[in-house]
Amino acid sequence: MRGHTRLEISWASLAHNWSLVQSLAPRARVLPMIKADAYGHGLVPLGKFFAEEMRAQALGVATLGEAEALSLALPNFKGRIYVFSDTLVTEKAFHARYKSHAILPVIADLASLEVFLSDGCFRHLPLTLKLNTGMNRLGIPEAQWPAAVELIARAGRRSVQHLMSHFACAAQPLAPGDQNHLQAQSFGRALALLRAAGLVIEETSLANSGAVEQGLAVEETWVRPGLMLYGPVSFATPTRLASRLVTQVMRVFPVKRGEHVGYGGAVVPQDGEMALLPIGYGDGFVTQSSGQEWAFGEVRGSVFGRVNMDMSFLYFTGEHVGKVREGMELELWGADGHGRLEAWARHCGTHAYQALCGISSRVPRVYRLE
């Protein structure tokens, strides 16, 4: 574990973002997505926070292992833990791991549906069904909906507890007739088909963060926000960044034009100063960070040369020389809201999801009230 680099997480900011989701979808229940270690913020601590403090009635993860970790950590949780992708339903060796009434697989293909309906180990679980309405990732495609209905009826089931789909383009501004609206229409056809077959659809959900922000599908039973709970957004929604990445200067030393620094011997272009930071690609500060400028108040430096596994260099020139000292804490993102995080993600050719999820377990998570 790192001693001088940490990711601080604010409970107050998370609570603010939760309340914002509720205000944008007042009729829906909030199903927080906490997969990928809660987008890098800590699976179990955030699972506990959403369940105990925000009174979440369900939690969403990607894998059966994540669900089991939450189930063990939350023995008194009365809600549901949905496994959205890596359900392992078709593999007999994993069936016994669904003995908990709280862990529900999201059934997204006919093979999994057939096993779920026929194997006695799933008899105690209600059916959660995911349909492909146009994203073409997971979900039963429209051509197979009648076959799914037939399987459900043959098994003697009379209801689908939770019918869901997923928007592919909700991060893009809505427009009449766009992919988002086409998907919503497709979901409406599915509802009509299943109900015409005599099935009761108890609950529904489609909306991810971008859809919630734009008011699309917020009338369903649930909304399923992910990224907006942690701060970064696609639109002008006043979320708060829930994390603050901080590191501390290990060493400061002068450099002369023409000197070589670090792996690969990057050449210093002009006289200046280097600050050595205890953060590298082993911590999630990826090699693509080279060249990115960071501002610490009035002091500006840029990542120099090759980012190491455990360390990186910040290069200062001109008036910025002499302003950074050993032991000084440098905030890589946090106080300015989304700005630095988004700028870093753009520089690295990625997005805030990957930047947050990429901070490794070697970086301690420190939880703050504010």
Side-chain angles (χ1 to χ4, degrees):
M1 295 287 281
R2 284 295 193 184
H4 295 299
T5 298
R6 65 187 183 276
L7 186 70
E8 297 182 356
I9 290 104
S10 164
W11 296 131
S13 294
L14 287 165
H16 169 86
N17 296 340
W18 179 279
S19 296
L20 185 59
V21 172
Q22 288 186 314
S23 71
L24 294 171
R27 298 183 183 180
R29 286 178 273 174
V30 180
L31 198 172
M33 299 305 297
I34 56 173
K35 57 187 179 177
D37 200 32
Y39 291 59
H41 294 73
L43 174 71
V44 168
L46 265 70
K48 287 184 175 182
F49 175 76
F50 288 136
E52 296 172 0
E53 301 299 326
M54 298 295 101
R55 299 290 187 264
Q57 298 172 33
L59 303 169
V61 295
T63 72
L64 179 56
E66 290 172 326
E68 289 176 313
L70 282 175
S71 183
L72 287 171
L74 296 168
N76 298 318
F77 182 54
K78 303 302 182 185
R80 314 167 200 163
I81 304 170
Y82 288 100
V83 182
F84 273 78
S85 54
D86 196 13
T87 64
L88 305 170
V89 164
T90 59
E91 299 184 43
K92 189 82 173 176
F94 294 94
H95 287 185
R97 293 167 64 177
Y98 277 104
K99 62 182 180 296
S100 168
H101 285 71
I103 300 177
L104 302 179
V106 175
I107 304 301
D109 59 80
L110 287 183
S112 296
L113 179 60
E114 189 164 11
V115 172
F116 181 86
L117 294 172
S118 61
D119 196 302
C121 72
F122 296 110
R123 192 173 293 118
H124 65 292
L125 297 178
L127 175 60
T128 299
L129 196 63
K130 187 171 189 177
L131 304 178
N132 176 13
T133 57
M135 185 172 185
N136 296 320
R137 190 176 64 174
L138 290 178
I140 298 173
E142 188 162 359
Q144 296 179 355
W145 294 350
V149 169
E150 184 178 344
L151 284 172
I152 296 168
R154 192 188 310 154
R157 297 250 182 172
R158 296 290 178 261
S159 69
V160 175
Q161 185 185 64
H162 192 158
L163 186 71
M164 64 174 65
S165 190
H166 191 70
F167 288 117
C169 302
Q172 301 169 10
L174 294 181
D178 66 7
Q179 175 70 7
N180 296 302
H181 288 94
L182 291 175
Q183 284 196 252
Q185 292 168 17
S186 178
F187 192 74
R189 291 195 300 274
L191 278 172
L193 175 68
L194 270 64
R195 285 170 174 160
L199 291 173
V200 175
I201 309 302
E202 299 178 30
E203 301 169 4
T204 57
S205 69
L206 290 95
N208 48 7
S209 291
V212 171
E213 291 178 71
Q214 299 189 84
L216 179 64
V218 295
E219 302 295 323
E220 307 295 338
T221 315
W222 298 89
V223 292
R224 308 194 309 264
L227 192 63
M228 70 179 297
L229 288 173
Y230 309 103
V233 292
S234 305
F235 305 95
T237 310
T239 56
R240 296 178 186 169
L241 194 61
S243 63
R244 177 176 179 261
L245 182 61
V246 181
T247 191
Q248 188 179 102
V249 176
M250 295 173 63
R251 180 184 168 216
V252 179
F253 57 94
V255 290
K256 295 290 185 182
R257 181 181 177 216
E259 287 185 338
H260 293 197
V261 175
Y263 285 121
V267 179
V268 176
Q270 67 182 89
D271 292 358
E273 196 169 64
M274 291 290 174
L276 191 60
L277 304 179
I279 187 169
Y281 63 79
D283 306 292
F285 194 67
V286 294
T287 57
Q288 292 89 340
S289 303
S290 293
Q292 172 70 11
E293 184 180 88
W294 299 90
F296 309 103
E298 299 300 318
V299 183
R300 293 181 178 274
S302 58
V303 180
F304 183 82
R306 189 184 301 178
V307 174
N308 300 190
M309 181 185 291
D310 309 305
M311 292 172 283
S312 54
F313 299 100
L314 272 187
Y315 175 46
F316 301 91
T317 60
E319 64 181 0
H320 304 289
V321 172
K323 303 291 180 64
V324 175
R325 294 176 177 80
E326 183 178 327
M328 182 181 290
E329 284 199 341
L330 301 179
E331 183 183 77
L332 297 176
W333 73 63
D336 68 336
H338 314 142
R340 291 182 194 167
L341 173 62
E342 298 284 357
W344 180 45
R346 285 194 302 271
H347 177 85
C348 295
T350 184
H351 44 66
Y353 290 78
Q354 184 171 341
L356 289 172
C357 293
I359 301 302
S360 78
S361 59
R362 186 165 71 168
V363 177
R365 272 59 173 172
V366 179
Y367 299 91
R368 310 287 192 195
L369 288 176
E370 294 300 326

